[in-house]
Amino acid sequence: MHILVSNDDGYLAEGLNCLVEHLQKIARVTVVAPQSDRSGASNSLTLDRPLLPEQASNGFIAINGTPTDCVHIAITALLKDDPPDIIVSGINRGPNMGDDILYSGTVAAATEGRFLGLPAIAVSLGSFEGKHFSTAARLIVKIINKLQVEPLASDTILNINVPDIDYEQLESVQVTRLGKRHKAEPAVEAIDPRNRKVYWLGPVGDEADAGPGTDFYALNHNQASVTPIKIDLTNYEAQEQLGAWLQKL
């Protein structure tokens, strides 16, 4: 098995290195990841300049672009004669749950892999301390072994969040849905050294929909959260109402 690994924290990130170490026990691994931290890049592509893949001293390929750039270049160019069987993005430092996935570069890298026809997994650790990346890595190995025996539907991306605890403390692995957050805190105004008014984006909102069955609930109860997501964003429930509304124009 050939696994493509990417992330949004950059090719030197501890979570990525831990993931690769564990995956190399079950597969051949190619790493193509951003040259620097590109957290929050979402699904953005770099269209205004060329991208430069460079092999780092650790054998990984670093690209001066976004997570989506990395996966796109890897699959359509660098590995076109040796395509991977699956893409795994992570392990992200910090969770990607609920509304977070709209901004997450970690999830975006997996999404691009799915766009290009590969099974895809995004995996994040449930805290920014990053003490137990190995817990998430061990779980991913188990999930990939299971996927080889029983593949999931071809349009499915797995968004996985794992508590930052010892593997032995993990209560269970739960299938979940995306929760929701309250709206983000207001932007913070500041003055830069040139006396210009600048703004820092405010923190994300607190948990709003975080009850049983959500990814938030699972992590809050020492459970790993596995949420199946897909690319189709169509609101099918609104189609009939919208159709009637449009007829009245």
Side-chain angles (χ1 to χ4, degrees), residues 118-136:
L118 294 180
I121 297 173
V123 55
S124 304
L125 199 65
S127 84
F128 291 96
E129 293 181 68
K131 292 182 177 179
H132 302 282
F133 285 111
S134 61
T135 299

Side-chain angles (χ1 to χ4, degrees), residues 52-66:
L52 176 64
E54 295 185 294
Q55 186 160 31
S57 58
N58 60 4
F60 299 170
I61 297 172
I63 293 182
N64 57 335
T66 67

Side-chain angles (χ1 to χ4, degrees), residues 87-166:
I87 174 167
V88 183
S89 177
I91 302 166
N92 192 63
R93 184 184 292 271
N96 279 302
M97 301 184 293
D99 312 299
D100 303 340
I101 71 164
L102 296 175
Y103 307 99
S104 167
T106 304
V107 176
T111 301
E112 186 66 11
R114 183 66 269 171
F115 270 140
L116 297 173
L118 294 180
I121 297 173
V123 55
S124 304
L125 199 65
S127 84
F128 291 96
E129 293 181 68
K131 292 182 177 179
H132 302 282
F133 285 111
S134 61
T135 299
R138 288 174 64 179
L139 179 60
I140 292 303
V141 168
K142 283 191 166 187
I143 287 175
I144 289 177
N145 284 333
K146 182 67 172 176
L147 284 173
Q148 286 187 281
V149 180
E150 296 182 54
L152 294 173
S154 60
D155 63 345
T156 301
I157 301 163
L158 296 183
N159 184 46
I160 299 174
N161 287 273
V162 183
D164 192 2
I165 56 178
D166 285 325

